[in-house]
Amino acid sequence: MNYYNEIDDKAAAWLRELVSRKLIPAGDVDTRSITEIKAHELKGYTQCHFFAGVASWRARLQPA
């Protein structure tokens, strides 16, 4: 399970859409500021993506 952090609501909504369409790996999308995230909250995640944007980088890498 991946962790995606993106403070912009529109970008976060797009991340959720990509996850639901299985275009990027399953994960949780968090819209809190990076300054509010505690290290223990990330325990159990395989990958953490901060400032995730719209994850076009991840979608392009997926087929590779």
Side-chain angles (χ1 to χ4, degrees):
M1 177 78 77
N2 288 318
Y3 173 87
Y4 301 100
N5 173 257
E6 178 51 60
I7 197 167
D8 181 88
D9 289 332
K10 289 181 182 180
W14 183 245
L15 286 169
R16 290 184 185 99
E17 183 67 22
L18 291 174
V19 168
S20 73
R21 292 182 185 195
K22 297 180 176 28
L23 295 173
I24 61 174
D28 296 321
V29 179
D30 185 351
T31 58
R32 293 180 293 163
S33 167
I34 195 169
T35 61
E36 299 174 29
I37 301 163
K38 307 296 181 206
H40 73 273
E41 296 174 312
L42 303 174
K43 188 175 181 177
Y45 287 105
T46 307
Q47 295 181 5
C48 297
H49 303 278
F50 299 96
F51 311 103
V54 293
S56 59
W57 50 269
R58 188 64 169 119
R60 290 188 182 124
L61 289 175
Q62 192 71 6

